[in-house]
Amino acid sequence: MKAQTGHIVFKGQFRYRNLSKCFEELLRVFLEETDQMPDEEEILRMFIRLNMMDITKNRKPEGYNRRGRMRLVFPLTGGRKEMYIRADVKTAQVVRITERLSKILKKASISHSLEYDRLSTLQES
């Protein structure tokens, strides 16, 4: 299966602070899998620190929304909390990475579901 976007939709009483125990691993895996890992550890620590500042205050984090082949986005969507991976083109890599991040969230006991190629539907609502 190929997809341009892979959505992880959080369920139940999810709060962004629930990500505090696994966000660093999520970001590292995303950056490694997409070959976007910064050359310097200090830059990676900055990305983690900026996101964790929001997460610990129970605010929506930025994710990794920089120029590159793929992005990890926490969108502003009415009534639902989610994160998604977006590539420039449909690729099996989006599905594989989404499923890998899902396993990390399951290990952290964060309830969620997966959807693919739902970005245009969300933008129309």
Side-chain angles (χ1 to χ4, degrees):
M1 176 178 163
K2 290 183 179 182
Q4 188 170 3
T5 60
H7 303 257
I8 296 174
V9 181
F10 301 110
K11 294 182 174 182
Q13 299 297 321
F14 174 80
R15 296 183 173 275
Y16 287 112
R17 73 175 65 128
N18 297 356
L19 295 173
S20 62
K21 54 189 165 187
C22 66
F23 184 79
E24 183 173 346
E25 183 180 4
L26 286 172
L27 186 59
R28 282 183 184 275
V29 166
F30 170 77
L31 293 172
E32 288 169 359
E33 290 284 335
T34 60
D35 292 325
Q36 297 182 103
M37 185 62 82
D39 292 334
E40 297 180 28
E41 180 70 18
E42 183 66 26
I43 294 171
L44 176 62
R45 301 289 328 146
M46 179 196 64
F47 289 138
I48 293 168
R49 186 174 38 243
L50 289 173
N51 280 282
M52 289 304 293
M53 285 171 38
D54 288 328
I55 288 169
T56 56
K57 293 178 181 174
N58 200 35
R59 294 190 307 225
K60 179 188 78 64
E62 177 185 339
Y64 188 82
N65 199 6
R66 308 279 188 291
R67 251 185 245 168
R69 293 185 0 240
M70 290 193 194
R71 296 174 182 208
L72 177 65
V73 179
F74 288 83
L76 294 173
T77 51
R80 90 182 204 168
K81 294 180 180 174
E82 72 170 296
M83 64 186 223
Y84 67 84
I85 296 167
R86 181 175 186 191
D88 294 335
V89 296
K90 284 191 174 204
T91 175
Q93 187 179 20
V94 167
V95 175
R96 184 176 51 76
I97 294 169
T98 303
E99 290 175 354
R100 183 144 183 230
L101 296 183
S102 174
K103 287 179 184 176
I104 294 167
L105 291 167
K106 284 179 185 173
K107 187 172 72 174
S109 301
I110 297 174
S111 182
H112 63 281
S113 62
L114 301 180
E115 299 175 358
Y116 296 95
D117 290 331
R118 300 276 302 172
L119 192 56
S120 60
T121 305
L122 291 174
Q123 289 175 340
E124 292 168 4
S125 1

